[in-house]
Amino acid sequence: MKAKTKMTGKQNGNFLSRLKANRELLILSMPGAIWFFFFAYLPLFGILVAFKKFRLSGNGFFYNLFTSETVWFDNFKFLFSSGDAWIIVRNTVLYNFTFIILGVAVPVVLALLLNEIKNKGMMKVYQSSMFLPYFLSWVVVSYCVFAFLNPEKGYFNAVIERFGGQPISWYTETKFWPFIIIFMSQWKGMGYNTVVYLASICGIDKTYYEAAVLDGASKWQQIKYITLPLLKPVITILLIMSVGGIFKADFGLFYQLPKNSGPLYPVTNVLDTYIFRALKTSGEIGMSSAAALFQSTVGFILIIIANKIVSKVDNENALF
């Protein structure tokens, strides 16, 4: 008993000594830890709303949470009870799959091109120009797109009519919108992803390239055998994280950009827009919470699976 007490005291002493030794790092990380506690961990109580027939009253959130009727998995049924459930899931997954592929390929190519610009001033201009759309909201972008696609006074229809063609009713023609959505998504997000890859490229030791030049390697060979292999860990980690959001969609992209046009629902209706419209119609908070929990759970499972596959192929590049 004395030995156990002595061992416990020794462990406590080691723990306190480690805290004292790392107090600067602990103080530095405290604001982030506090933020995560209040905005990431404390809201986890809201998961219970997904299993409740939640009703608002004037008695506070926790009172409403614990007094609302428990309906278990009934709130999850509305996700699959719609006749358009297959279309919604198909749109969400296929769009996100395309975004994941292009979200790696396009920024990597742009980062490689920017890295080859010798004029640093011009490189900053190009980089800032590509990064600017990332800070624009989809509301602003949607009105810019509307200026081009306006059926009556849009720039595109004006050009078409100038060459003798018939104007197009852009907001009722579904065949154009998959390409418009994909293009606008890449246009808005490529700058941010390019900066991530460009920073990784700039961190590569220049002596690798100097040795390659001495060996007579061409520019393509330098990219193929030096840059891309050293970018592989960053690409893999971002790819794994992207897979976790394959059941989530950018609400502004699919709601604001097509102006919530009913004829475009077959190609623009995704889980997030469907949940929003259902919430507006029924006012059931529990249903929207169930949908969010479903998306997060599926995303977590996909991240685990993707990381497991990567760890089997190349354990060094796995996320954990």
Side-chain angles (χ1 to χ4, degrees):
M1 186 67 179
K2 290 182 178 179
K4 186 176 180 180
T5 304
K6 187 176 181 180
M7 184 63 67
T8 304
K10 186 178 180 180
Q11 290 175 349
N12 291 335
N14 290 336
F15 176 73
L16 293 174
S17 63
R18 287 198 301 270
L19 286 179
K20 186 177 180 180
N22 297 286
R23 60 182 179 274
E24 292 87 359
L25 293 175
L26 291 171
I27 294 172
L28 186 64
S29 63
M30 191 175 296
I34 293 172
W35 186 93
F36 269 100
F37 175 77
F38 283 105
F39 296 101
Y41 294 108
L42 197 60
L44 287 176
F45 286 108
I47 290 176
L48 297 176
V49 177
F51 305 97
K52 297 274 190 175
K53 193 170 184 179
F54 191 75
R55 289 290 180 267
L56 292 172
S57 67
N59 296 317
F61 171 77
F62 287 102
Y63 176 84
N64 297 328
L65 178 64
F66 292 110
T67 57
S68 296
E69 179 188 356
T70 301
V71 294
W72 297 110
F73 293 98
D74 287 352
N75 286 330
F76 293 84
K77 293 179 181 178
F78 95 104
L79 280 173
F80 309 100
S81 61
S82 170
D84 298 329
W86 161 245
I87 296 175
I88 295 165
V89 173
R90 180 203 65 186
N91 289 344
T92 306
V93 173
L94 290 183
Y95 275 123
N96 280 321
F97 180 77
T98 306
F99 295 158
I100 289 171
I101 300 300
L102 293 179
V104 172
V106 174
V108 167
V109 172
L110 289 175
L112 292 172
L113 293 175
L114 284 174
N115 189 56
E116 296 303 318
I117 298 175
K118 303 305 179 184
N119 189 326
K120 298 302 180 182
M122 291 306 300
M123 186 180 74
K124 290 180 180 179
V125 171
Y126 296 141
Q127 186 176 335
S128 300
S129 300
M130 289 189 296
F131 203 24
L132 179 62
Y134 179 78
F135 295 102
L136 300 176
S137 72
W138 280 116
V139 177
V140 175
V141 173
S142 68
Y143 280 102
C144 295
V145 172
F146 185 74
F148 285 90
L149 303 183
N150 189 333
E152 298 177 0
K153 300 178 181 179
Y155 299 138
F156 284 173
N157 278 347
V159 172
I160 292 171
E161 289 179 337
R162 186 68 178 265
F163 286 93
Q166 293 295 322
I168 299 172
S169 180
W170 296 96
Y171 288 90
T172 58
E173 294 285 347
T174 58
K175 59 184 178 182
F176 301 110
W177 279 91
F179 303 101
I180 294 173
I181 287 173
I182 292 171
F183 174 80
M184 293 306 301
S185 172
Q186 297 309 304
W187 172 80
K188 192 171 184 298
M190 66 182 180
Y192 177 84
N193 294 325
T194 300
V195 168
V196 174
Y197 293 116
L198 185 60
S200 300
I201 293 173
C202 292
I204 296 174
D205 192 344
K206 302 302 179 185
T207 56
Y208 292 135
Y209 296 102
E210 294 171 0
V213 171
L214 291 175
D215 289 339
S218 64
K219 185 59 67 176
W220 166 244
Q221 289 173 326
Q222 294 175 40
I223 293 172
K224 182 179 179 181
Y225 295 108
I226 298 175
T227 308
L228 291 179
L230 292 176
L231 276 181
K232 187 178 177 182
V234 179
I235 294 173
T236 304
I237 290 173
L238 292 179
L239 193 63
I240 292 172
M241 297 301 293
S242 298
V243 168
I246 201 167
F247 267 85
K248 293 184 178 180
D250 191 333
F251 177 79
L253 173 61
F254 291 97
Y255 187 84
Q256 295 289 349
L257 193 68
K259 298 294 183 183
N260 194 27
S261 176
L264 299 180
Y265 283 179
V267 294
T268 62
N269 201 13
V270 290
L271 277 171
D272 293 73
T273 56
Y274 170 67
I275 294 165
F276 176 74
R277 294 185 186 109
L279 183 61
K280 282 180 63 178
T281 304
S282 65
E284 291 287 346
I285 299 175
M287 290 182 179
S288 60
S289 300
L293 179 59
F294 170 76
Q295 289 176 308
S296 301
T297 304
V298 172
F300 173 75
I301 293 171
L302 289 175
I303 287 178
I304 298 296
I305 294 173
N307 185 76
K308 191 68 176 178
I309 294 172
V310 170
S311 64
K312 292 291 184 182
V313 177
D314 187 359
N315 188 47
E316 292 184 357
N317 291 326
L319 186 60
F320 50 85

